[in-house]
Amino acid sequence: MSDGRALAREFLEQQRMLGGEPVILSDTASTPGSRPGSARPSATPTPLTPGVSPGKVSALPPAGLSYDPPGGDLFSNDPVPQAASLEVIARLVTSCTKCRLCDGRRHAVPGEGPGDARLVVVGEGPGRVEDDTGRPFVGPAGELLTKILAAIELPRERVFICNVVKCRPPENRLPQYDEIAACLPYLHRQVELLKPKVILAMGGTAAQTLLDTKQSLGSLRNRVHRFRGIPVIVTYHPAALLRNPNWKRPTWDDVRIARRLLD
Ligand code: URA
Ligand code: SF4
């Protein structure tokens, strides 16, 4: 049997890490014999989370879309679908000029993480700090991603983190359709080599690209989709969470689903 209070503590700690609202427990929640006057007198009882018990997740969400992109042509001499390792992909990305995004980049950002990662996180494209450093998710959104991963007990060093497009779009605009199409073989080969247990698609671009759909992020959330048979969980992009903290709570629900699929 789990200790309810331990679960509640873990839940609150995770909420804190994700920047959730402070939860003030009323006096009525304290155990008999606790110090009188220790509760804040004016506090109104705040339900932890309506309808959800701490630390406990009900059944997995229903199945969603399933996408199986066609495999590479055995007889073509395109090096990308045949790249033997993640390092080879990274080298090909670094010298890639297949779309206009190569013009403005300082560094291409192939992605990083261990070859045996069980979780692959896919974002949209490099931002300014990523373009400066050549590393994915190291700016403000990356710091939030690191916290989100820590909250599900996954140090980011154990996760492979990459993006749909590997070069920064000017002024962080959305990547255009032809840019995504040009870059997609890299992502497909990365996933093929990594064979992760779960893919976490962060934001509409990642979700729609991986699942080959135009459906909105809102309608893609809370489903277990598949990419080449690998479960795909869709959630908000950390940069969107920085603008709209109300989405932290649903994001937390989503990453817990990913966590459960990993366990
Ligand atoms: N946003 C992304 O989508 N990817 C990054 O690497 C950084 C910010
Ligand atoms: Fe090549 Fe992708 Fe960079 Fe375009 S975004 S230049 S396809 S690596």
Side-chain angles (χ1 to χ4, degrees), residues 93-104:
V93 164
T94 308
S95 58
C96 177
T97 56
K98 285 187 184 172
C99 85
R100 65 183 81 77
L101 294 182
C102 68
D103 295 334

Side-chain angles (χ1 to χ4, degrees), residues 50-205:
V52 177
S53 57
K56 216 166 122 199
V57 188
S58 47
L60 283 171
L65 304 173
S66 187
Y67 179 50
D68 265 290
D73 175 355
L74 265 182
F75 303 104
S76 100
N77 49 15
D78 181 350
V80 179
Q82 299 173 28
S85 67
L86 295 166
E87 290 73 24
V88 171
I89 292 283
R91 236 176 294 133
L92 292 168
V93 164
T94 308
S95 58
C96 177
T97 56
K98 285 187 184 172
C99 85
R100 65 183 81 77
L101 294 182
C102 68
D103 295 334
R105 75 179 172 217
R106 286 192 64 200
H107 293 99
V109 183
E112 66 183 27
D116 63 353
R118 283 151 36 88
L119 179 69
V120 170
V121 169
V122 181
E124 180 172 294
R128 187 179 53 76
V129 189
E130 291 78 18
D131 180 57
D132 284 345
T133 56
R135 298 184 55 208
F137 279 102
V138 286
E143 283 171 28
L144 182 54
L145 173 61
T146 303
K147 285 188 200 169
I148 291 170
L149 293 173
I152 53 168
E153 285 158 11
L154 269 181
R156 76 172 263 158
E157 302 73 39
R158 300 223 323 256
V159 176
F160 192 89
I161 302 173
C162 63
N163 287 298
V164 170
V165 293
K166 313 301 192 191
C167 303
R168 183 194 185 196
E171 312 300 325
N172 298 344
R173 66 157 169 75
L174 283 175
Q176 291 168 5
Y177 184 80
D178 58 333
E179 296 158 355
I180 292 174
C183 213
L184 199 50
Y186 297 116
L187 178 62
H188 283 180
R189 186 62 182 150
Q190 284 173 319
V191 171
E192 208 166 48
L193 289 164
L194 283 155
K195 298 186 179 60
K197 205 162 173 211
V198 179
I199 298 172
L200 182 63
M202 301 194 95
T205 300

